[in-house]
Amino acid sequence: MALLDFLLGLSIDEVAVRYRITRTAAENELREILLAYGFDARGSDR
């Protein structure tokens, strides 16, 4: 659901607030979900 909320336009901060997690946890969760679907979501600092 976090990915859907993000794709529908919520910011990372809004997703974090909605699911009562930290911003970092929300970023990590979205990265994990995207990687599971085959997208490289590691960012440019890899």
Side-chain angles (χ1 to χ4, degrees), residues 6-27:
F6 182 72
L7 293 175
L8 289 174
L10 291 183
S11 70
I12 294 287
D13 293 323
E14 291 170 322
V15 170
V17 168
R18 176 171 282 189
Y19 293 98
R20 297 182 179 150
I21 56 178
T22 65
R23 184 182 203 282
T24 303
E27 289 174 344

